[in-house]
C-alpha cells in the first residue's frame, strides 16, 4: 500500500511537470506570434508568465524579453500610461535585478519625464553592474551635469577654502567635539576632514540621491566607508536613536549660495541645534 501511494504521488508530480512544460511551450509560441504581429503588450504578458513558470529560461529568453519590454514601454509612453510603464519595469527588474540594460532603459524614461535624481540612481546602478557600459556612463555623466551645481566643482577646487575648513574642524575636534554631523555632505569632503581630525563618530546626510551615491563612492575610495555613516535623508528627518544613536557635539555644513534660503538650511541648522546637537551646560 505505501508503494502504491508513492507511485500515485510520483504520477501526480509527473503530470504537473508535463502540464507546466506544455503551458510554457504554448506561451513561448504565443509570445513569438505576438511579436511577429507587433502586439508587444500581449507578448510581454506571455514572457512574464514563461519566466515565472520557468525561471530556468531566464538566460535563454533574456534578449527577446528585453526587446519586448522596450517596445511595449515605448507604446505605453506614447499613450501617457506612465504608471503602467513603471510597473512593467518594476516587474522586469524583479526578474532581472542585476541587468544593466534594463536599469539604463528605466533611467532614460525617468530622465525624459523630468525625474532626474531618480534617473541618476538607475544610471549609476547600471554603471556599477557593468563599468564598460558606454551608454550608461554617458547617461550618468549627462544627468550629473544637470544635478551637480557648477559651484560645487568650484568649491572642491578651492584649496584655500578647503584648508580653512580642515583647520576649523581640526580645532573643534581637538577641543573635544568627538561626534560630528555633516549636513548636505555633497562629496563627503567635510566628513572625511572630521574623521581625519580624529572624530570618533561621523554622520553625514544628503538629500540628493545622486550626491549621496557619489559620496558613497568617494568615501569608499578613501577607505572610510566603515567610519562615516552616510544617510540618504534630509537633516530635518533625522531621528535619535533611529538614525544616529545620540546627539552630536559638532555640526558642519557648506551651503553658501542661494540654497541658504531656497533649500531650508537655516531651518536645518535650527533643527540640528535643538534636536541633534549637544547643548552647552
Amino acid at each position: 500500500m505505501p508503494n502504491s501511494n508513492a507511485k500515485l504521488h510520483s504520477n501526480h508530480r509527473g503530470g504537473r511537470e508535463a502540464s507546466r512544460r506544455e503551458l510554457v511551450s504554448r506561451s513561448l509560441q504565443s509570445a513569438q506570434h505576438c511579436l511577429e504581429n507587433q502586439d508587444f503588450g500581449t507578448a510581454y504578458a506571455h514572457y512574464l508568465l514563461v519566466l515565472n513558470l520557468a525561471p530556468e529560461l531566464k538566460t535563454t529568453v533574456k534578449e527577446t524579453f528585453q526587446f519586448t519590454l522596450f517596445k511595449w514601454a515605448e507604446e505605453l509612453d506614447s499613450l501617457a500610461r506612465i504608471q503602467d510603464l513603471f510597473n512593467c519595469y518594476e516587474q522586469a527588474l524583479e526578474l532581472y535585478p542585476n541587468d544593466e540594460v534594463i536599469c539604463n532603459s528605466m533611467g532614460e524614461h525617468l530622465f525624459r519625464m523630468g525625474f532626474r535624481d531618480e534617473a541618476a540612481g538607475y544610471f549609476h546602478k547600471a554603471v556599477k553592474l557593468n563599468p564598460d557600459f558606454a551608454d550608461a556612463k554617458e547617461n550618468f555623466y549627462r544627468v550629473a551635469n544637470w544635478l551637480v551645481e557648477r559651484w560645487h566643482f568650484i568649491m572642491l577646487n578651492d584649496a584655500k577654502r578647503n584648508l580653512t575648513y580642515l583647520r576649523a574642524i581640526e580645532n573643534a575636534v581637538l577641543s573635544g567635539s568627538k561626534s560630528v554631523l555633516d549636513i548636505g555632505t555633497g562629496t563627503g569632503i567635510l566628513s572625511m576632514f572630521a574623521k581625519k581630525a580624529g572624530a570618533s563618530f561621523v554622520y553625514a546626510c544628503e538629500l540628493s540621491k545622486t550626491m549621496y551615491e557619489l559620496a558613497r563612492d568617494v568615501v569608499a575610495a578613501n577607505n572610510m566607508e566603515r567610519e562615516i555613516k552616510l544617510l540618504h535623508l534630509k537633516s530635518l528627518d533625522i531621528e535619535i536613536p533611529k538614525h544616529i544613536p545620540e546627539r552630536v557635539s559638532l555640526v558642519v555644513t557648506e551651503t553658501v549660495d542661494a540654497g541658504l534660503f531656497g533649500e531650508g538650511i537655516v531651518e536645518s541648522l535650527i533643527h540640528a541645534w535643538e534636536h541633534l546637537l549637544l547643548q552647552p551646560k
Side-chain angles (χ1 to χ4, degrees):
M1 197 67 175
N3 289 337
S4 177
N5 288 335
K7 187 175 181 180
L8 284 173
H9 285 303
S10 177
N11 290 338
H12 182 62
R13 284 196 300 271
R16 284 192 302 179
E17 178 59 23
S19 297
R20 182 186 74 91
R21 287 198 301 267
E22 176 65 22
L23 181 55
V24 168
S25 177
R26 286 207 307 259
S27 293
L28 283 171
Q29 292 174 8
S30 296
Q32 189 60 44
H33 179 73
C34 290
L35 286 178
E36 291 169 0
N37 290 285
Q38 297 189 345
D39 183 359
F40 300 114
T42 307
Y44 176 75
H46 279 298
Y47 277 118
L48 280 184
L49 177 61
V50 167
L51 290 168
N52 279 286
L53 286 175
E56 68 273 13
L57 295 178
K58 281 184 179 181
T59 303
T60 305
V61 304
K62 181 178 177 179
E63 289 187 9
T64 311
F65 175 76
Q66 288 175 342
F67 172 81
T68 306
L69 167 67
F70 300 155
K71 286 295 186 180
W72 178 225
E74 287 176 8
E75 281 193 26
L76 292 172
D77 193 8
S78 67
L79 295 169
R81 292 171 55 183
I82 307 306
Q83 190 56 57
D84 289 335
L85 184 153
F86 288 149
N87 288 341
C88 285
Y89 273 97
E90 287 175 3
Q91 292 166 339
L93 286 170
E94 284 181 8
L95 292 166
Y96 296 96
N98 296 316
D99 188 287
E100 69 273 19
V101 178
I102 295 176
C103 286
N104 183 64
S105 181
M106 174 67 156
E108 289 175 338
H109 280 287
L110 287 166
F111 184 78
R112 284 196 295 270
M113 293 172 191
F115 300 106
R116 291 170 182 158
D117 206 27
E118 293 83 352
Y122 280 97
F123 293 145
H124 183 264
K125 182 178 179 181
V127 173
K128 283 284 192 181
L129 289 167
N130 182 0
D132 297 323
F133 189 6
D135 287 350
K137 286 198 291 187
E138 182 180 343
N139 284 332
F140 181 69
Y141 295 143
R142 179 165 55 122
V143 76
N145 283 330
W146 283 91
L147 293 170
V148 181
E149 296 86 346
R150 293 294 182 270
W151 57 262
H152 210 99
F153 295 109
I154 296 171
M155 287 193 310
L156 290 174
N157 288 285
D158 187 341
K160 184 177 179 180
R161 163 201 169 273
N162 293 338
L163 183 59
T164 300
Y165 263 99
L166 175 59
R167 287 174 176 169
I169 291 171
E170 284 177 339
N171 289 337
V173 172
L174 290 173
S175 298
S177 298
K178 296 300 183 182
S179 56
V180 180
L181 171 63
D182 179 6
I183 294 177
T185 191
T187 59
I189 188 170
L190 299 187
S191 295
M192 291 187 290
F193 283 171
K195 196 62 198 177
K196 287 181 178 179
S200 302
F201 305 99
V202 180
Y203 312 98
C205 64
E206 175 57 57
L207 182 59
S208 166
K209 178 69 172 174
T210 303
M211 294 307 299
Y212 167 75
E213 295 288 355
L214 180 59
R216 286 182 60 185
D217 288 345
V218 172
V219 168
N222 285 272
N223 298 314
M224 292 187 182
E225 64 269 31
R226 295 184 179 180
E227 300 174 324
I228 297 173
K229 182 176 181 180
L230 288 165
L231 302 167
H232 181 214
L233 284 173
K234 191 175 182 180
S235 63
L236 295 170
D237 295 330
I238 296 176
E239 299 177 16
I240 298 172
K242 182 178 179 180
H243 301 113
I244 61 177
E246 57 188 5
R247 293 188 177 200
V248 297
S249 50
L250 175 67
V251 171
V252 296
T253 190
E254 171 60 287
T255 310
V256 294
D257 69 332
L260 180 64
F261 305 103
E263 296 180 6
I265 193 64
V266 173
E267 290 84 350
S268 296
L269 291 175
I270 292 172
H271 173 75
W273 174 259
E274 293 178 344
H275 302 288
L276 305 174
L277 190 63
L278 287 170
Q279 302 296 312
K281 295 180 180 179

